[in-house]
């Protein structure tokens, strides 16, 4: 769309992360009325570890997270940490999942209301075939909308391989979807087709919703609608395995954020159908939430971040940066895992994830200025590199408190601890005076 792509980064590039934003750095670090607190929890389907909780199935997740819900936290995103798409065998930690919980920081003025504690529920939707297709994903979004009309809010989904409906055993997690075949698309399956067990499916989609007791749902959570948006990226491969990617994240999402919509889920067609040439680009769909009220437009931050696993524990990830941005009112809404996997110099496993955060624009004038400027100009991307160091294990829920000196097991940034934002290269958000610009890659 008129925005030139840079040459793909060197596959051996060891940069820990990149940040793209619709704002320049001083605006990113502007205080707002809302401050968030995050808890990052890791779950395994194959056994517990010191910093990882065991669950036999992700269906048990609502029960495992209930202690946090009683303190006002809610699930913001859930994703597998490792994707084995395109590989002949599953990698270690393929059954490891990350749950990100968020809550507005409590204040003395906070009034307890029944709608502050939704109930997390999960539904299992059996699917046909070995991979999702574009038509199936669109049918799934239709089904999500059907559920939303009943007063629930869609949180996200996780795709899993199972041996069959009879026992439902999980073989390995998948978030990849198959590229649509180069033949005329068939009629999208409806709810009935998705639910009937006349076939022997080996895929299931775990779909997470928030629901409330009658009369307790927030007004903006009633009758939410969900829309699809294009997702495309350029990739490099080593054989069938994706080794690098590049996408115009801000360009892809800007029009939806300007409407005040939230990005809540994503599907990428990582797999290539047998017999098809290996593509140099991949397609998918973003899922956006439109609330019944008219919220302001959103600014956004997109983070491409490496997660490093040392031994059986997460050593480095997006956590420190996330907690820093929380102080400025940035809300995480979606994490896109990728099958990009490498080993660092110490032999530790590293994988790349893409994190999406949003925050309402601060004024109508700023939003109008951004819309006007987006139509006039597109510039080369301003890339920031963040160094996220160290991840500590989450503290028990009963110890979670703004007064404990930490948030979800992480130290509070400030008070002598260097802000993660201080590691960002200066000038990355540099713009013309008085103009708010959406940068693109």
């Amino acid at each position: 769309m008129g925005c030139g792509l840079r040459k793909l980064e060197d596959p051996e590039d060891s940069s820990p992360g990149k940040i793209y934003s619709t704002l320049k750095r001083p605006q990113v670090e502007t205080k707002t009325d809302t401050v968030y607190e995050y808890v990052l929890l890791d779950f395994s389907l194959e056994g517990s570890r010191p910093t990882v909780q065991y669950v036999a199935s992700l269906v048990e997740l609502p029960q495992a997270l209930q202690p946090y819900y009683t303190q006002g936290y809610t699930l913001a995103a859930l994703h597998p940490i490792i994707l084995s798409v395109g590989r002949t065998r599953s990698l270690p930690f393929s059954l490891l999942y990350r749950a990100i919980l968020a809550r507005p920081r409590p204040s003395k003025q906070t009034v307890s209301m029944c709608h502050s504690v939704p109930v997390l529920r999960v539904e299992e939707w059996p699917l046909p075939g070995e991979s999702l297709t574009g038509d199936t994903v669109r049918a799934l979004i239709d089904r999500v909308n059907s559920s939303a009309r009943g007063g629930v809010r869609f949180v996200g989904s996780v795709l899993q391989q199972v041996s069959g409906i009879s026992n439902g055993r999980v073989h390995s997690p998948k978030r990849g979807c198959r590229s649509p075949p180069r033949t005329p698309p068939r009629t999208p399956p409806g709810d009935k087709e998705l639910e009937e067990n006349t076939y022997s499916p080996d895929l299931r989609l775990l779909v997470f919703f928030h629901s409330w007791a009658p009369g307790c749902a927030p007004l903006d959570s009633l009758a939410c609608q969900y829309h699809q948006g294009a997702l495309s990226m350029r990739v490099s491969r080593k054989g069938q395995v994706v080794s690098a990617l590049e996408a115009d994240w801000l360009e892809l999402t800007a029009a939806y954020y300007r409407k005040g919509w939230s990005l809540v889920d994503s599907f990428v067609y990582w797999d290539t159908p047998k017999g098809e040439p290996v593509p140099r680009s991949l397609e998918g769909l973003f899922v956006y939430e439109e609330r019944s009220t008219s919220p302001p437009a959103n600014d956004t931050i997109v983070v491409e971040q490496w997660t490093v696993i040392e031994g059986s524990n997460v050593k480095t990830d997006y956590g420190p940066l996330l907690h820093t941005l929380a102080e400025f009112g940035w809300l995480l809404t979606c994490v896109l895992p990728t099958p990009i996997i490498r080993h660092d110099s110490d032999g530790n496993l590293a994988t790349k994830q893409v994190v999406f955060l949003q925050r309402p624009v601060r004024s109508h004038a700023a939003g109008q200025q951004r819309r006007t400027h987006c139509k006039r100009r597109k510039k080369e991307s301003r890339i920031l590199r963040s160094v996220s160091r160290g991840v500590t294990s989450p503290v028990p829920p009963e110890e979670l408190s703004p007064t404990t000196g930490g948030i979800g097991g992480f130290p509070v940034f400030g008070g002598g601890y260097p802000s993660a934002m201080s590691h960002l290269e200066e000038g990355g958000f540099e713009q013309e005076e008085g103009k708010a610009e959406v940068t693109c890659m």
Side-chain angles (χ1 to χ4, degrees):
M1 299 179 64
C3 178
L5 287 173
R6 297 181 300 104
K7 182 179 179 181
L8 278 179
E9 63 184 68
D10 185 336
E12 303 306 320
D13 177 25
S14 60
S15 59
K18 300 176 182 176
I19 302 178
Y20 310 87
S21 180
T22 55
L23 298 174
K24 52 187 178 181
R25 178 174 170 179
Q27 294 171 312
V28 166
E29 295 178 303
T30 301
K31 290 286 188 177
T32 65
D33 293 336
T34 303
V35 175
Y36 288 101
E37 295 178 348
Y38 289 102
V39 175
L40 281 63
L41 301 173
D42 293 335
F43 294 89
S44 174
L45 304 183
E46 57 185 356
S48 61
R49 304 183 183 95
T51 60
V52 179
Q53 300 183 44
Y54 169 75
V55 289
S57 166
L58 291 179
V59 175
E60 300 177 3
L61 200 60
Q63 180 179 357
L65 298 180
Q66 184 56 34
Y68 296 90
Y69 269 66
T70 59
Q71 298 192 40
Y73 288 93
T74 58
L75 182 64
L78 173 70
H79 65 89
I81 292 181
I82 297 291
L83 286 181
S84 299
V85 176
R87 301 176 186 272
T88 57
R89 61 184 177 86
S90 294
L91 293 167
F93 313 111
S94 290
L95 299 180
L96 191 63
Y97 292 82
R98 162 68 56 82
I100 304 102
L101 294 91
R103 73 175 179 184
R105 178 173 295 171
S107 64
K108 296 180 180 179
Q109 291 75 29
T110 301
V111 179
S112 178
M113 300 179 66
C114 62
H115 65 63
S116 62
V117 185
V119 175
L120 180 65
R121 79 184 204 200
V122 58
E123 297 181 5
E124 299 181 69
W125 295 357
L127 304 171
E130 298 179 355
S131 300
L132 285 180
T133 65
D135 287 341
T136 305
V137 171
R138 285 184 281 270
L140 292 169
I141 296 175
D142 289 341
R143 187 171 175 183
V144 167
N145 275 313
S146 178
S147 297
R149 286 191 286 272
V152 301
R153 284 183 63 184
F154 176 56
V155 178
S157 63
V158 175
L159 186 65
Q160 292 188 311
Q161 243 183 0
V162 296
S163 58
I165 289 297
S166 57
N167 56 32
R169 292 185 59 189
V170 175
H171 280 182
S172 64
K174 294 175 70 71
R175 195 57 184 267
C177 313
R178 174 163 292 177
S179 300
R182 292 172 182 170
T183 57
R186 64 184 180 88
T187 303
D191 289 3
K192 184 177 181 181
E193 182 179 350
L194 290 171
E195 291 175 345
E196 287 180 348
N197 296 334
T198 56
Y199 49 82
S200 298
D202 59 4
L203 283 181
R204 68 174 178 178
L205 193 71
L206 300 184
V207 186
F208 292 83
F209 293 97
H210 279 147
S211 62
W212 290 263
C216 289
L219 292 178
D220 64 355
S221 296
L222 297 174
C224 290
Q225 295 185 44
Y226 297 89
H227 308 272
Q228 67 185 42
L231 196 173
S232 60
M233 62 184 74
R234 182 184 173 203
V235 298
S236 293
R237 295 176 184 266
K238 292 183 177 179
Q240 293 288 327
V241 178
V242 176
S243 59
L245 64 82
E246 191 169 65
D248 295 324
W249 301 119
L250 300 178
E251 184 76 7
L252 288 168
T253 58
Y256 304 97
Y257 281 121
R258 288 198 297 270
K259 294 180 180 180
W261 296 1
S262 298
L263 174 60
V264 294
D265 205 358
S266 61
F267 296 91
V268 178
Y269 311 126
W270 297 111
D271 290 338
T272 302
K274 292 181 180 179
E276 293 282 346
V278 177
R280 297 182 62 183
S281 63
L282 291 175
E283 305 296 324
L285 291 175
F286 282 128
V287 181
Y288 295 91
E289 178 187 77
E290 177 188 7
R291 299 194 182 184
S292 55
T293 57
S294 299
N298 287 310
D299 281 311
T300 183
I301 292 176
V302 183
V303 182
E304 291 183 7
Q305 175 71 45
W306 286 98
T307 290
V308 179
I309 300 175
E310 182 179 46
S312 60
N313 301 315
V314 174
K315 174 185 177 183
T316 302
D317 67 0
Y318 51 80
L321 180 61
L322 177 61
H323 290 292
T324 296
L325 293 173
E327 296 292 324
F328 306 108
W330 290 97
L331 177 64
L332 181 147
T333 62
C334 182
V335 177
L336 171 62
T338 78
I340 299 175
I341 297 173
R342 302 174 190 164
H343 289 85
D344 66 9
S345 58
D346 297 322
N348 298 318
L349 198 66
T351 183
K352 178 171 283 189
Q353 290 138 3
V354 185
V355 183
F356 296 85
L357 303 99
Q358 66 183 49
R359 187 180 71 181
V361 296
R362 294 186 56 80
S363 68
H364 173 74
Q368 181 62 39
Q369 188 177 58
R370 183 175 298 106
R371 286 191 291 272
T372 302
H373 193 58
C374 285
K375 294 178 181 178
R376 294 175 46 223
R377 307 187 60 179
K378 296 186 184 81
K379 284 188 176 180
E380 185 179 357
S381 64
R382 315 299 200 211
I383 300 176
L384 301 175
R385 300 182 183 273
S386 76
V387 178
S388 303
R389 296 192 177 98
V391 176
T392 59
S393 59
V395 297
E398 62 270 12
E399 296 178 18
L400 290 174
S401 169
T403 62
T404 61
I407 302 173
F410 291 86
V412 174
F413 290 92
Y417 195 98
S419 166
M421 295 294 287
S422 67
H423 297 294
L424 304 179
E425 293 181 357
E426 293 293 339
F429 284 119
E430 180 181 324
Q431 297 170 325
E432 294 183 32
E433 189 66 27
K435 292 187 177 181
E437 172 189 305
V438 175
T439 60
C440 52
M441 295 183 62

